[in-house]
Amino acid sequence: MNDSTASGDDSSGNQAAPPPPKAIAKKKRNLPGMPDPDAEVIALSPKTLMATNRFVCEICKKGFQRDQNLQLHRRGHNLPWKLRQRSSTDAKKRVYVCPEPSCVHHDPSRALGDLTGIKKHFCRKHGEKKWKCDKCSKKYAVQSDWKAHSKICGTKEYKCDCGTLFNRKDSFITHRAFCDALAEETSKPPATVSPLSPPTAASSPPPPPPLPSEHEDSTQTDVVLPDNNNHVTEMLESVKPDSTSGRTLDETPVMTNLTSGSSSNGSSSSNVFASLFASSTSSGSFQSQTAGFSNLFQAIACSDPTPAVAPSSSSEPVALGLAVNQGSSIFGTAGPDHMQYPPAAPPPSLSATALLQKAAQMGAAASNTSLLRGLGIVSSSSSPSVSHDGASLAAGLGLGLACDSGSGLKELMLGTPSIFGPKRTTLDLLGLGMAATGGSTSGLSVLMNGGLDVPAATPFLGREFGGQDIR
Amino acid sequence: MDTNSKFLNPRINNGGLVHIDMQPSTTTSSSDSAAEGGGEAKWASKLLRECAAAMSEKDSAKMHHLLWMLNELASPYGDTDQKIAAYFLQALFCKATDSGRRCYKTLVSVAERSHSFDSARKLILKFQEVSPWTTFGHVASNGATLEALEGESNLHIIDISSTLCTQWPTLLEALATRTDDTPHLRLTVVATTAAAKSAMKEISPRMEKFARLMGVPFEFIVIADLNRLGELTKDALSIREGEAVAVNCIGALKHADVDERRSVIEMMKSLNPKVVTMVEEEANFSSNRNDFVECFEECLRFHTIYFDMLEESFAATSNEKLMLERECLRNIVRVLACDDKVEEHDSERREKGRQWSERLREAGFSAVAHSEDVVDDVRALLKRYRAGWSLVLPAEDDQTGIFLAWKDEPVVWASVWKPSK
């Protein structure tokens, strides 16, 4: 994935070093790039790794870029059944480590299960970025990434919460920093949990567009945040059901069709997810990243539903992800490092980074990227969240995703199993759904991280996807 | 506001007599002539030059005649010629009546009274949107700063600039998305003007908030107890052990007293910075400050380009454009009609890149070329603005930095420096 995940990787790597708490240890197995311990670890030199056609047919010596292609090819040789099967060593699962010694994926315990995956990872992360976009000067190591980007560079618009549209990322970023939409919340005291408003995020039909403060109050009521709550609030502005129907819908007409059903129930929001994915593959009908995201969150927040789970945690799954991430992804384990910075400069929120990135960095990317990233955000935050904030938060996260994204993603998974590689990821995803009560949300994390690290997904999910995410 | 734009188009001959053509001046003709930089074909420039020359020759009759004429033709709401005429006329009038200082103070206090964070923000962001005049320096400096600080985990950027932090969001974003771990960033902003000091109260929470949003560990410090840049000391900046220091100097040194510039640059050197980025507008009101006509010509040259740029960049009725023009008026009056000892306010003795380079070298800095990547970034930046902008790379060996050019006239200079070994 991109930096956010990279840091997430780091953090999980760090977690592995000291004897981790049980919750983490449990999680660890599911983290991205955590291969089957029985798998054969393959370390290739950069040269070999980048060599094309390194899967050679032992019969005709024809070379293939992918093992799968070789296997398909071998079938054509009409070998006896016995021979057609891979030998016992062949059958053994192979995992690949990154040749770069400083890389987290250099460690066999973090090897990736796909050669093409490690190849693109190596290229993107450690290779020279020699492909440069003419329009925005963004650089790519993989030509296909660059091509994909070039096609859509500058065609996307960025929209600030204040309604201003931008077609350039840096203008948007600068504006965003100075816009009152951001500042309004700054001026508020970093509110603690407010007793004023009940956790209503899920239930009630949207009231007339509320005051910003109401947003904040109800937002913060729902989630017990470790610190700097306002942080989260800004993100959540577009997540709240009321703001969704009031503000977001007005501002993002493009999304209307998608959001229309979102307030009703979980299944409709899974449609949202599905649609997001669908549209993204078809090169993105979304004009605005922000819109895409609002709706992602909206989907999560609105559909929030099931009384089966603790209401407090369920109402703001996204907030949870954001809150938790502040300390975690960047600094490794959330707990101790978290204290490293004075309150004046609270630990950063990687998810927040990604959130802005979703609108900014991804700008040119198809909206599927942002969706994935959005999910990634939540997911990457999820494992630290357990240790850091307690199970209820995680449960909330799990719930939110289980209810809407669960089904949406499942559709995705079912439709394109190849994307996320190993089947167990899918199972993990479904496990995530269960995790709503159990507090373990690692599944999604695996899905997202692992899934994104598997570049086989790239061609399917959209051109920009891989380039944005693995880097 | 633009009702006068089809004003009569007068021409003068050498005797200073005016023939007035009845043809309306068109906007295209005025912009075409601006390409010549000196504005040869422009009536305003001609009249103004004549007037300045008459003034320096103490030809009182001619001067009065020309002032009268300019007064008839000028308008701050007209076309570029009329605006140029109006603003320089005011400076000439102040000079003639020795009222420059009073006029300048009035203009400044009017500006300060109407100043608000809101309007300043709007102005800056709008200007960035329509013109690379400021963003050019931001991209060049941020790129060079990021490269110089790469791999460092504790960054301290000392921002001695007039950009009101508008260049930092993109840097924060770049830090947040760079491949290695996000470093800790301390940003110390030195604010010397009243407007900047009050704006910082608004900007400070915004920057902190945005840094949180981007996930950059961030500390924001404003040094607001100075009246002049010359008062800034190394102690005030409280450099910490292990910090990688970068000094960002955009449009600020020109406000320092000419005599203090050396010491400011030496102070910067004493910080032992990894990098110093410096951006200034390419104009020289410094070495010629004792030669009125020469200084006037240079001031007119520079502002003619600037007004032409504003005219083409903004909508005709843009309020932001008007504010920028009024800022020019203050600068023009400051440069042409005030002695250098106007207290409590900043100098406008600009210097060109070459002059700044000399100062920096004298203080023990060596120039660093902008990397290919940064130059590419700047090129990409310019592509998004209207035609007319270009990037000029240093042509001669002793030239440093890169230039932003408007219609082939270098207007902004950006450079990178490191302490000499």
Side-chain angles (χ1 to χ4, degrees):
Chain A
M1 281 177 110
N2 87 342
D3 307 308
S4 59
T5 318
S7 308
D9 289 348
D10 290 341
S11 71
S12 40
N14 293 343
Q15 285 169 4
K22 266 179 194 167
I24 291 177
K26 189 180 172 189
K27 215 131 267 101
K28 198 183 135 197
R29 255 178 273 127
N30 289 331
L31 278 171
M34 293 291 181
D36 185 342
D38 299 330
E40 179 187 4
V41 177
I42 302 192
L44 299 170
S45 73
K47 204 176 161 190
T48 327
L49 181 61
M50 299 318 290
T52 52
N53 304 344
R54 53 171 308 282
F55 290 97
V56 179
C57 174
E58 69 274 23
I59 296 151
C60 67
K61 307 297 178 210
K62 187 170 189 283
F64 294 88
Q65 286 195 47
R66 292 159 170 264
D67 186 39
Q68 292 96 318
N69 295 348
L70 170 63
Q71 296 313 317
L72 277 172
H73 162 86
R74 284 171 97 246
R75 288 192 206 169
H77 283 301
N78 271 330
L79 296 171
W81 184 83
K82 267 278 183 195
L83 276 177
R84 255 192 282 146
Q85 294 302 301
R86 321 194 101 210
S87 68
S88 58
T89 50
D90 276 352
K92 197 169 181 189
K93 191 169 160 40
R94 283 177 172 166
V95 293
Y96 302 85
V97 297
C98 176
E100 170 59 43
S102 62
C103 179
V104 289
H105 295 294
H106 184 64
D107 186 331
S109 69
R110 302 293 307 279
L112 298 181
D114 180 309
L115 176 72
T116 324
I118 202 72
K119 206 163 157 181
K120 286 208 170 170
H121 155 86
F122 179 71
C123 217
R124 285 172 178 140
K125 263 218 142 138
H126 315 293
E128 189 200 348
K129 295 178 181 177
K130 50 193 170 194
W131 302 97
K132 187 158 189 167
C133 173
D134 245 13
K135 285 174 262 182
C136 74
S137 80
K138 193 165 166 40
K139 285 179 293 180
Y140 292 88
V142 177
Q143 189 187 13
S144 58
D145 294 348
W146 169 78
K147 270 188 185 161
H149 165 86
S150 299
K151 272 186 204 156
I152 46 167
C153 180
T155 61
K156 292 288 165 184
E157 284 180 324
Y158 307 90
K159 186 167 198 167
C160 179
D161 291 351
C162 74
T164 319
L165 275 173
F166 298 87
N167 57 6
R168 292 292 172 176
K169 178 179 109 183
D170 51 356
S171 315
F172 169 70
I173 288 173
T174 308
H175 167 91
R176 189 80 186 88
F178 282 83
C179 180
D180 286 331
L182 182 68
E184 264 167 29
E185 284 140 27
T186 316
S187 58
K188 293 179 196 303
T192 49
V193 176
S194 159
L196 294 178
S197 52
T200 53
S203 50
S204 55
L211 295 171
S213 61
E214 288 174 10
H215 283 246
E216 195 153 294
D217 286 345
S218 58
T219 301
Q220 284 159 356
T221 311
D222 298 336
V223 187
V224 182
L225 300 175
D227 57 4
N228 58 334
N229 295 351
N230 46 350
H231 209 198
V232 173
T233 318
E234 81 210 6
M235 299 300 171
L236 283 176
E237 202 170 14
S238 59
V239 177
K240 308 282 303 161
D242 39 6
S243 71
T244 308
S245 53
R247 213 184 240 183
T248 315
L249 273 184
D250 292 343
E251 288 178 1
T252 60
V254 186
M255 296 303 297
T256 314
N257 54 341
L258 294 176
T259 56
S260 54
S262 66
S263 58
S264 52
N265 59 32
S267 66
S268 68
S269 42
S270 70
N271 290 338
V272 173
F273 273 78
S275 318
L276 276 171
F277 275 105
S279 68
S280 63
T281 46
S282 65
S283 97
S285 59
F286 302 110
Q287 293 304 303
S288 147
Q289 293 293 326
T290 323
F293 249 74
S294 318
N295 280 277
L296 164 60
F297 288 151
Q298 181 184 335
I300 294 171
C302 292
S303 58
D304 146 71
T306 3
V309 189
S312 68
S313 56
S314 69
S315 37
E316 291 295 343
V318 180
L320 139 71
L322 295 173
V324 166
N325 236 338
Q326 292 159 0
S328 55
S329 318
I330 277 191
F331 300 111
T333 52
D337 288 348
H338 199 219
M339 300 297 145
Q340 187 172 330
Y341 294 98
S349 151
L350 241 198
S351 59
T353 310
L355 257 182
L356 201 118
Q357 285 165 357
K358 106 251 169 186
Q361 185 191 51
M362 313 300 286
S367 18
N368 66 316
T369 331
S370 65
L371 172 60
L372 285 172
R373 186 180 290 265
L375 292 172
I377 290 160
V378 177
S379 67
S380 67
S381 69
S382 60
S383 53
S385 79
V386 175
S387 57
H388 190 233
D389 293 304
S392 69
L393 293 183
L397 173 63
L399 170 64
L401 291 169
C403 290
D404 21 17
S405 72
S407 47
L409 281 173
K410 189 161 73 177
E411 287 178 34
L412 173 71
M413 300 299 299
L414 293 176
T416 63
S418 67
I419 287 183
F420 291 113
K423 197 165 187 179
R424 70 181 155 92
T425 341
T426 314
L427 294 175
D428 281 336
L429 169 69
L430 300 177
L432 172 63
M434 305 302 139
T437 47
S440 159
T441 55
S442 56
L444 183 61
S445 153
V446 168
L447 166 65
M448 298 315 300
N449 295 324
L452 292 178
D453 267 337
V454 175
T458 313
F460 181 86
L461 267 189
R463 308 149 300 214
E464 185 70 9
F465 160 40
Q468 290 290 350
D469 284 313
I470 299 212
R471 183 153 317 142
Chain B
M1 184 177 282
D2 203 24
T3 47
N4 285 331
S5 65
K6 296 216 187 312
F7 201 82
L8 306 178
N9 187 15
R11 300 230 174 93
I12 60 169
N13 62 17
N14 288 337
L17 297 172
V18 178
H19 302 281
I20 296 179
D21 287 348
M22 295 309 286
Q23 300 158 344
S25 74
T26 64
T27 46
T28 44
S29 75
S30 70
S31 59
D32 286 348
S33 54
E36 297 163 41
E40 274 302 303
K42 297 190 147 197
W43 60 264
S45 295
K46 279 197 170 182
L47 280 180
L48 288 166
R49 280 203 197 99
E50 295 266 346
C51 188
M55 196 174 282
S56 94
E57 287 156 16
K58 308 226 183 305
D59 184 342
S60 160
K62 190 176 173 190
M63 181 185 83
H64 279 109
H65 177 69
L66 286 160
L67 284 176
W68 174 86
M69 203 151 51
L70 281 164
N71 193 42
E72 289 297 304
L73 299 170
S75 162
Y77 304 109
D79 62 18
T80 308
D81 257 345
Q82 289 171 299
K83 284 176 182 170
I84 289 277
Y87 293 137
F88 278 85
L89 168 65
Q90 179 139 16
L92 288 173
F93 181 81
C94 287
K95 171 90 175 165
T97 56
D98 203 17
S99 61
R101 192 162 159 168
R102 200 176 61 228
C103 173
Y104 177 69
K105 284 191 170 176
T106 309
L107 290 171
V108 167
S109 79
V110 165
E112 277 179 358
R113 237 178 301 141
S114 62
H115 176 273
S116 71
F117 170 72
D118 211 43
S119 61
R121 171 183 59 181
K122 231 187 197 160
L123 171 65
I124 291 178
L125 294 184
K126 182 72 184 170
F127 194 26
Q128 291 190 358
E129 191 189 314
V130 300
S131 164
W133 192 276
T134 54
T135 49
F136 163 78
H138 299 178
V139 170
S141 298
N142 283 359
T145 302
L146 282 167
E147 282 178 359
L149 299 181
E150 191 156 333
E152 301 284 348
S153 54
N154 273 301
L155 318 184
H156 188 175
I157 297 179
I158 291 154
D159 184 20
I160 305 173
S161 72
S162 55
T163 59
L164 295 182
C165 288
T166 47
Q167 80 181 94
W168 302 124
T170 49
L171 181 124
L172 285 166
E173 193 260 353
L175 281 178
T177 56
R178 76 181 197 180
T179 42
D180 43 355
D181 284 341
T182 308
H184 184 279
L185 172 63
R186 212 143 72 91
L187 179 58
T188 299
V189 175
V190 180
T192 51
T193 65
K197 286 172 190 173
S198 78
M200 279 305 152
K201 293 193 184 99
E202 297 276 350
I203 290 167
S204 180
R206 282 177 166 83
M207 295 306 291
E208 282 167 358
K209 177 113 185 168
F210 187 75
R212 279 203 297 274
L213 176 72
M214 297 309 292
V216 176
F218 186 64
E219 200 179 329
F220 189 74
I221 300 135
V222 179
I223 296 184
D225 56 352
L226 308 177
N227 293 314
R228 302 184 340 264
L229 200 50
E231 298 169 7
L232 182 64
T233 61
K234 183 181 176 180
D235 287 348
L237 295 168
S238 57
I239 307 295
R240 291 177 195 157
E241 194 80 14
E243 274 181 344
V245 175
V247 180
N248 181 64
C249 223
I250 298 187
L253 271 186
K254 69 178 177 210
H255 292 313
D257 290 345
V258 176
D259 299 335
E260 282 183 341
R261 286 176 189 175
R262 188 189 171 103
S263 69
V264 172
I265 294 172
E266 278 167 355
M267 192 279 301
M268 282 159 36
K269 173 86 178 350
S270 75
L271 305 173
N272 194 25
K274 289 260 173 200
V275 65
V276 172
T277 47
M278 183 158 173
V279 178
E280 287 288 350
E281 291 166 354
E282 182 72 352
N284 172 22
F285 310 147
S286 175
S287 70
N288 50 19
R289 64 185 184 277
N290 296 318
D291 183 332
F292 176 72
V293 172
E294 202 182 301
C295 191
F296 182 90
E297 293 273 349
E298 170 69 0
C299 196
L300 182 61
R301 176 198 71 82
F302 179 79
H303 285 96
T304 304
I305 301 170
Y306 189 74
F307 274 71
D308 175 65
M309 180 275 295
L310 291 181
E311 199 64 35
E312 290 197 25
S313 301
F314 285 94
T317 56
S318 162
N319 202 39
E320 286 81 22
K321 184 174 74 171
L322 190 64
M323 285 169 73
L324 289 167
E325 287 165 351
R326 286 187 177 151
E327 192 187 322
C328 283
L329 170 62
R330 293 194 292 279
N331 294 343
I332 293 165
V333 171
R334 178 79 178 86
V335 168
L336 296 179
C338 298
D339 52 38
D340 268 354
K341 292 291 170 236
V342 177
E343 319 82 42
E344 91 233 17
H345 268 292
D346 298 316
S347 155
E348 275 296 331
R349 293 287 171 209
R350 299 167 190 218
E351 298 183 72
K352 290 194 172 184
R354 190 182 286 272
Q355 296 166 288
W356 291 117
S357 299
E358 208 168 293
R359 289 186 183 279
L360 282 149
R361 284 199 188 93
E362 272 173 18
F365 282 102
S366 329
V368 182
H370 286 92
S371 74
E372 201 54 39
D373 283 348
V374 173
V375 169
D376 282 353
D377 286 348
V378 171
R379 281 212 181 90
L381 174 82
L382 300 190
K383 272 188 201 151
R384 53 188 271 202
Y385 294 101
R386 67 188 60 240
W389 296 105
S390 56
L391 174 68
V392 181
L393 300 172
E396 301 147 50
D397 288 345
D398 62 335
Q399 254 183 5
T400 47
I402 54 175
F403 292 94
L404 171 70
W406 169 250
K407 295 179 179 173
D408 296 327
E409 287 285 329
V411 287
V412 182
W413 171 75
S415 62
V416 188
W417 300 84
K418 282 178 182 164
S420 309
K421 286 287 173 270

